[in-house]
C-alpha cells in the first residue's frame, strides 16, 4: 500500500461518516410529519453540507496525490 493511499484513508472515512449522518438526518426530517417551513431548512441544509463535504474530500485527495500536504510542515 503506497503512502498516498494510507494518507487518504482517514479523510475518506471521516467524510463518509459525515455524509451518511447528513443524508440520514435529512431523510429523517423529510419522513417525520413536521411543518413544511421546518422541513425545508432541516432537510436541505444537511444535504448542502454533504455536498460541501464531498467537495472538500475531493480537494483533499488532490492535495495528497500532488504532495501538497507536506507544505504545511514548512511553516
Amino acid at each position: 500500500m503506497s503512502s498516498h493511499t494510507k494518507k487518504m484513508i482517514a479523510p475518506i472515512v471521516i467524510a463518509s461518516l459525515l455524509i451518511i449522518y447528513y443524508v440520514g438526518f435529512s431523510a429523517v426530517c423529510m419522513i417525520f410529519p413536521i411543518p413544511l417551513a421546518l422541513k425545508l431548512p432541516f432537510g436541505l441544509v444537511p444535504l448542502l453540507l454533504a455536498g460541501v463535504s464531498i467537495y472538500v474530500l475531493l480537494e483533499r485527495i488532490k492535495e495528497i496525490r500532488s504532495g501538497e500536504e507536506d507544505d504545511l510542515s514548512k511553516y
Side-chain angles (χ1 to χ4, degrees):
M1 192 180 272
S2 72
S3 70
H4 290 306
T5 305
K6 289 180 184 178
K7 291 178 182 179
M8 285 191 273
I9 292 173
I12 291 171
V13 169
I14 298 299
S16 298
L17 292 173
L18 274 174
I19 292 165
I20 291 168
Y21 173 76
Y22 288 143
V23 171
F25 185 84
S26 180
V28 167
C29 287
M30 292 298 176
I31 292 171
F32 280 104
I34 57 175
L36 183 61
L38 292 177
K39 274 189 182 188
L40 290 178
F42 287 136
L44 291 179
V45 171
L47 291 178
L48 293 173
L49 291 173
V52 169
S53 298
I54 292 169
Y55 174 77
V56 169
L57 174 64
L58 294 176
E59 290 296 316
R60 180 66 183 135
I61 289 173
K62 283 182 198 175
E63 288 177 3
I64 291 172
R65 286 186 177 157
S66 69
E68 291 180 24
E69 79 276 358
D70 293 335
D71 289 347
L72 288 176
S73 64
K74 294 178 185 177
Y75 298 105

